[in-house]
Amino acid sequence: QVQLAESGGGLVQAGGSLRLSCAASGRTLSTTHMGWFRQAPGKERAFVAAISRYGTALYYADSVKGRFTISRDNAKNTVYLQMTNVKPDDTAVYYCAAGSTFGSTSNRDYDYWGQGTQVTVSS
């Protein structure tokens, strides 16, 4: 079992930056690949970024490539999502997830999910 808890969300102006954190407990984080997803009002949950167990491989959705950076610190059992040059379209609840398949964009390939953190980008 892995418990995940996101933090760092909030209100930010367009063009600004925000860093989300995902703290894991219950199992060593280095045993699992990780991903970030987001869900905007009225839309389905969508893939944002993924990172392999030891951080050697990264994968991003086209919509955030060049603006968001996923990273992890296995010693701290934490995964991060650095968001820069944010846009109003980035407004959503952001979720971190743990799974055994690196880089999957499907919700079904992730076994554990956090409760989410709200990010709101004002124009």
Side-chain angles (χ1 to χ4, degrees), residues 18-118:
L18 206 60
R19 188 176 82 157
L20 307 183
S21 299
C22 172
S25 60
R27 196 165 88 186
T28 303
L29 200 60
S30 60
T31 62
T32 182
H33 301 304
M34 298 295 295
W36 283 95
F37 285 73
R38 65 187 182 186
Q39 188 165 18
K43 296 187 177 180
E44 294 187 352
R45 194 171 297 188
F47 170 79
V48 175
I51 187 167
S52 59
R53 288 188 177 94
Y54 298 104
T56 54
L58 309 175
Y59 183 56
Y60 296 96
D62 287 343
S63 59
V64 306
K65 201 173 295 183
R67 300 188 299 120
F68 291 9
T69 302
I70 188 171
S71 63
R72 66 193 298 162
D73 185 338
N74 287 342
K76 296 183 178 179
N77 253 19
T78 303
V79 177
Y80 304 97
L81 185 69
Q82 178 68 49
M83 307 167 63
T84 62
N85 191 23
V86 295
K87 305 174 181 179
D89 284 349
D90 295 322
T91 295
V93 177
Y94 283 72
Y95 300 88
C96 66
S100 57
T101 302
F102 166 68
S104 174
T105 60
S106 172
N107 295 348
R108 293 172 293 181
D109 287 327
Y110 293 83
D111 304 309
Y112 304 99
W113 293 83
Q115 293 299 306
T117 185
Q118 175 71 47

